């Protein structure tokens, strides 16, 4: 089996040289689904895995815009429409200088499995730009979003492809993108999710990724006869995802002691409270991409250039960006008594860290744990189609139910002979089967 996986990966690498993030994401899936693939001739004869690793369509385009000094600036825009077997392409837009085609392909590939796990009819896609919002004015961000959408609008639509936010794309950016789409196409549809409440956005969408991840963690802990209350928790990042997780964890009685930014991490021994969680939003809105001011404001410790994984905690939630937690970090966490790593960023852990964590603590992969965000995006699509909106209670209950279904899927496909749950295996196989069956049913397309 290993030789076959190696052969598959070599062929993929030959076709996609240099796309290291994409190779990393594919390898993790291939290793865990190969048995199922091998045992099903209908998948093999239809070349399902090969097809799943090739996006249905990829758009790359120029994004010119004018800065506040009147100069022309240039960025590159992308949309990767990965897989539409079970629904319209669905996935966020990332605006960050680290964005490359490889990064968006890994994200679009993962999104396909994640969206399948949500139980909702959504295919997988991802897009974005290497645009860096740091230090940019609000007007510059608006002009960039308008130029980006002027091209993107040719490829998306409420029944075709429905983007949303991701790193660097929040409510403000979605508002500008939606405004431009509506202006050019002269239609008010659910073409984007994560919209403002006033124009079709779903209540609970901003909190959904973080909340969902904590709901998933509750199920993991219940399997171990434990509960969230009283746990010390390390979070990374300080954006939307980290903020949602901090609020739900605090509400459930956990003590959040860290957040982080590109400048370092905050250790707040007093734990987070409502005021501090609110301040995270303020920090984000400055466009400065730093967390150090938190330490000064609340008298917490700041460790410049360090990652929060050196803190002594019971649970760790990487919430920032891919490969933010490596094997050494995982070892340090476990050595300090950490029993749970809940990957809340997409591919937040390196392959080595994942392998170590699976063996030495309880590990949840991003495509299961962070699926709450896109799940509520799916609920936003439903509400837009109905031209109706559900209450906070209704959306939150649906989100909690979806996360419990995802957990049950992981248990179903990931429980080994020894009774131990391998969440990576469970999530990958669970996500794969639904998409693979749909692809087989739809023939050679
Ligand atoms: N960017 C989020 C994710 O990684 C959300 C995507 C969406 O809501 O479409 O799943």
């Amino acid at each position: 089996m290993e030789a076959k996986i190696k052969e598959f990966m070599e062929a993929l690498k030959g076709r996609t040289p240099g796309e290291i993030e994409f190779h990393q994401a594919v390898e993790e899936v291939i290793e865990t689904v190969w048995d199922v693939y091998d045992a099903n001739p209908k998948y093999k004869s239809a070349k399902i895995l090969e097809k799943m690793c090739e996006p249905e369509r990829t758009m790359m385009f120029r994004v010119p815009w004018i800065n506040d000094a009147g100069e022309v600036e240039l960025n590159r825009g992308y949309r990767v429409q990965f897989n539409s077997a079970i629904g319209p392409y669905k996935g966020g837009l990332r605006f960050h200088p680290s964005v490359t085609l490889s990064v968006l392909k890994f994200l679009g590939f993962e999104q396909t499995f994640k969206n399948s796990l949500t139980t909702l009819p959504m295919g997988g896609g991802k897009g974005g730009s290497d645009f860096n919002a740091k230090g940019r004015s609000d007007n510059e961000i608006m002009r960039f979003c308008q130029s980006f959408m002027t091209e993107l609008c040719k490829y998306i639509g409420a029944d075709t492809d429905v983007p949303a936010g991701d790193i660097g794309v929040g409510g403000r950016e979605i508002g500008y993108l939606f405004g431009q789409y509506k202006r050019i196409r002269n239609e008010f549809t659910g073409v984007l999710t994560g919209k403002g409440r006033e124009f079709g956005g779903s209540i609970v969408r901003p909190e959904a990724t973080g909340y969902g991840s904590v709901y998933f963690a509750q199920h993991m802990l219940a399997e171990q006869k434990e509960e969230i209350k009283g746990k010390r928790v390390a979070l990374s990042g300080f954006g939307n995802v980290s903020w949602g997780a901090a609020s739900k964890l605090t509400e459930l009685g956990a003590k959040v002691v860290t957040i982080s930014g590109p400048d370092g991490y905050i250790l707040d021994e007093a734990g987070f409270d409502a005021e501090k969680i609110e301040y995270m939003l303020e920090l984000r809105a400055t466009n400065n991409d730093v967390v150090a001011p938190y330490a000064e404001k609340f008298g917490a410790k700041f460790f410049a250039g360090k990652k929060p994984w050196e803190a002594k905690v019971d649970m760790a939630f990487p919430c920032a960006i891919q490969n933010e937690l490596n094997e050494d970090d995982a070892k340090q966490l476990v050595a300090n008594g950490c029993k749970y790593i809940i990957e809340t960023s997409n591919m937040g852990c390196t392959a080595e860290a994942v392998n170590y964590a699976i063996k030495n603590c309880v590990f949840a992969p991003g495509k299961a744990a962070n699926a709450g965000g896109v799940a509520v995006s799916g609920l936003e699509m439903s509400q837009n189609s109905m031209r109706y909106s559900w209450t906070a209670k209704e959306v939150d209950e649906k989100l909690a139910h979806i996360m419990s279904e995802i957990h049950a899927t992981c248990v179903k496909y990931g429980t080994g002979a020894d009774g131990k749950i391998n969440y990576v295996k469970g999530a990958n196989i669970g996500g794969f089967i639904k998409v693979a069956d749909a692809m087989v049913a739809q023939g050679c397309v």
Side-chain angles (χ1 to χ4, degrees):
M1 185 183 97
E2 283 202 348
K4 285 188 192 168
I5 294 177
K6 211 165 166 239
E7 198 184 310
F8 184 96
M9 285 308 301
E10 287 311 315
L12 180 90
K13 286 177 186 168
R15 287 198 306 278
T16 55
E19 297 183 1
I20 47 174
E21 294 87 358
F22 178 54
H23 302 157
Q24 184 186 337
V26 171
E27 192 152 12
E28 184 207 280
V29 169
I30 301 296
E31 279 171 354
T32 46
V33 305
W34 194 268
D35 280 346
V36 179
Y37 185 62
D38 222 26
N40 272 286
K42 64 174 183 178
Y43 294 158
K44 281 176 86 178
S45 63
K47 290 212 163 53
I48 292 299
L49 266 186
E50 286 84 346
K51 283 208 257 168
M52 276 185 180
C53 293
E54 192 66 39
E56 289 177 21
R57 198 173 296 106
T58 301
M59 273 68 68
M60 280 174 68
F61 49 92
R62 167 170 98 193
V63 189
W65 56 285
I66 310 280
N67 68 19
D68 285 346
E71 297 152 354
V72 173
E73 300 233 12
L74 207 53
N75 286 97
R76 185 175 289 164
Y78 307 82
R79 186 70 183 167
V80 183
Q81 297 182 333
F82 226 105
N83 194 305
S84 63
I86 62 166
Y89 309 106
K90 180 83 196 88
L93 298 170
R94 176 175 292 192
F95 293 169
H96 192 267
S98 66
V99 163
T100 60
L101 182 61
S102 168
V103 166
L104 295 177
K105 280 179 72 176
F106 112 64
L107 288 163
F109 178 78
E110 291 237 311
Q111 197 84 43
T112 303
F113 296 86
K114 181 192 328 195
N115 293 2
S116 162
L117 284 170
T118 65
T119 72
L120 302 173
M122 298 183 289
K126 206 85 188 189
S129 172
D130 56 358
F131 175 74
N132 188 356
K134 188 172 171 162
R136 295 300 189 178
S137 73
D138 208 72
N139 274 331
E140 289 179 313
I141 290 170
M142 180 177 73
R143 286 196 293 274
F144 172 79
C145 288
Q146 290 177 337
S147 179
F148 182 84
M149 182 52 90
T150 300
E151 183 61 24
L152 184 73
C153 76
K154 299 169 188 166
Y155 316 110
I156 61 175
D159 292 318
T160 309
D161 182 358
V162 183
D166 195 83
I167 296 172
V169 179
R172 171 182 55 183
E173 290 76 15
I174 292 292
Y176 294 147
L177 291 164
F178 183 78
Q180 184 74 349
Y181 181 89
K182 183 166 62 63
R183 185 172 189 201
I184 296 178
R185 302 286 288 260
N186 194 25
E187 55 179 46
F188 194 114
T189 58
V191 65
L192 291 161
T193 60
K195 301 183 289 297
R197 287 286 310 290
E198 309 78 12
F199 51 101
S202 176
I203 197 158
V204 187
R205 177 62 189 89
E207 297 88 342
T209 311
Y211 276 27
S213 178
V214 177
Y215 293 152
F216 191 87
Q218 278 184 301
H219 290 287
M220 293 171 77
L221 265 72
E223 288 287 335
Q224 312 296 321
K225 312 262 176 294
E226 289 207 65
E227 58 173 8
I228 295 246
K229 195 165 180 228
K231 293 278 183 294
R232 257 174 81 91
V233 182
L235 301 180
S236 62
F238 67 109
N240 171 262
V241 175
S242 188
W243 164 78
S247 345
K248 188 50 82 180
L249 285 161
T250 307
E251 183 192 319
L252 295 174
K255 190 175 188 183
V256 174
V257 291
T258 74
I259 53 168
S260 71
D263 54 334
Y265 84 95
I266 298 286
L267 179 65
D268 187 347
E269 284 296 347
F272 277 57
D273 59 19
E275 188 194 349
K276 293 170 180 177
I277 293 165
E278 188 62 31
Y279 181 68
M280 287 171 79
L281 296 177
E282 243 177 80
L283 263 184
R284 171 59 59 192
T286 60
N287 289 352
N288 287 335
D289 222 9
V290 289
V291 286
Y294 178 106
E296 226 169 277
K297 186 167 166 73
F298 295 111
K301 287 191 188 132
F302 173 65
F303 296 89
K306 297 267 186 181
K307 297 196 265 185
W309 317 130
E310 60 186 30
K312 197 171 155 31
V313 291
D314 306 306
M315 304 175 76
F317 287 71
C319 296
I321 199 161
Q322 67 269 10
N323 294 328
E324 56 173 313
L325 196 157
N326 63 28
E327 189 177 12
D328 288 341
D329 298 325
K331 283 184 177 162
Q332 191 167 17
L333 278 167
V334 171
N336 281 336
C338 177
K339 280 177 69 181
Y340 301 91
I341 299 180
I342 296 102
E343 189 184 50
T344 306
S345 40
N346 290 311
M347 208 167 76
C349 301
T350 62
E352 298 76 25
V354 172
N355 288 335
Y356 180 82
I358 288 174
K359 292 190 193 104
N360 296 283
C361 63
V362 186
F363 175 78
K367 58 173 85 68
N370 77 26
V374 74
V376 174
S377 275
L379 300 178
E380 184 167 322
M381 289 168 73
S382 307
Q383 293 169 83
N384 292 166
S385 299
M386 291 190 290
R387 303 203 187 282
Y388 187 71
S389 44
W390 289 318
T391 62
K393 187 166 173 283
E394 284 171 309
V395 178
D396 195 34
E397 275 171 11
K398 286 179 172 44
L399 168 63
H401 176 70
I402 289 170
M403 297 316 296
S404 87
E405 292 282 309
I406 298 174
H407 185 268
T409 302
C410 292
V411 172
K412 178 173 173 190
Y413 295 109
T415 307
D418 56 358
K420 215 180 151 199
I421 305 161
N422 180 333
Y423 285 92
V424 174
K425 188 173 170 195
N428 288 340
I429 295 178
F432 170 79
I433 289 177
K434 183 173 164 189
V435 179
D437 286 346
M439 289 172 77
V440 169
Q442 289 168 26
C444 187
V445 291

